[in-house]
Amino acid sequence: MTASADVDGVADTDLAHLHRAIELARAARDAGNHPFGAVVVAADGRTVEAGNTVVTAHDPTGHAETNVVRAAAAVLDDGELAAATLFTSTEPCAMCTGAIYWSGIERIVYALGEDELRRIVAAQEGVPTMALPCREVLAHGGRPVEVVGPVALAEAALVHEGFWS
């Protein structure tokens, strides 16, 4: 889907990457995982993509953002990571925000906010979703990370529809 105008002040190119992250969330869900997806886009346009693998990899740290940070760090050097943007279908949790911070990535763009996710997910396998916005986590870091979001894209919530019940 191509937007004809900015949504929430986000450029068309950023929206395209957010839509791709949501497609990856759908693919993760279709594979039996939690519906989350993420894309790292380097300054030169190279992309690295990942979805959630918590269930299929039997790894509670297999969130889309941690998976994409690991994959991006394997192919991008420190300078390229610092100039990259991480796009994600849903606001990164505290764990993922920490991974993004430690990777050196300086920009995050997300669609669905954690507050909206909490409304959708009452409890996840008995463990409630953390009420800790990524901006709050990053406020305790020693370097700035630009955060853009939430970006109002209906499909970001739709990918969760019926999954958590």
Side-chain angles (χ1 to χ4, degrees):
M1 176 177 170
T2 304
S4 59
D6 290 354
V7 173
D8 295 332
V10 177
D12 286 348
T13 54
D14 286 351
L15 287 173
H17 296 304
L18 280 177
H19 286 292
R20 179 61 185 151
I22 295 165
E23 289 172 6
L24 292 166
R26 173 64 63 187
R29 179 181 176 154
D30 292 347
N33 289 293
H34 302 161
F36 301 97
V39 179
V40 168
V41 180
D44 65 7
R46 286 180 292 160
T47 63
V48 180
E49 302 179 341
N52 182 288
T53 58
V54 166
V55 176
T56 57
H58 306 285
D59 178 3
T61 68
H63 293 197
E65 298 88 351
T66 56
N67 288 340
V68 82
V69 164
R70 285 185 201 106
V75 297
L76 301 174
D77 65 31
D78 292 347
E80 291 168 324
L81 279 171
T85 297
L86 188 144
F87 296 89
T88 183
S89 60
T90 306
E91 183 174 358
C93 72
M95 174 184 71
C96 293
T97 301
I100 296 163
Y101 176 83
W102 289 114
S103 75
I105 292 171
E106 294 184 347
R107 184 170 183 252
I108 301 167
V109 181
Y110 68 88
L112 187 70
E114 62 88 20
D115 56 337
E116 182 62 25
L117 180 64
R118 279 196 329 274
R119 283 190 279 279
I120 295 169
V121 182
Q124 161 183 303
E125 299 171 7
V127 180
T129 301
M130 292 182 85
L132 185 57
C134 68
R135 283 178 177 90
E136 187 173 333
V137 174
L138 293 166
H140 297 281
R143 66 174 179 82
V145 177
E146 178 186 0
V147 178
V148 178
V151 177
L153 298 174
E155 61 268 37
L158 287 175
V159 74
H160 293 275
E161 190 171 280
F163 180 84
W164 302 102
S165 52

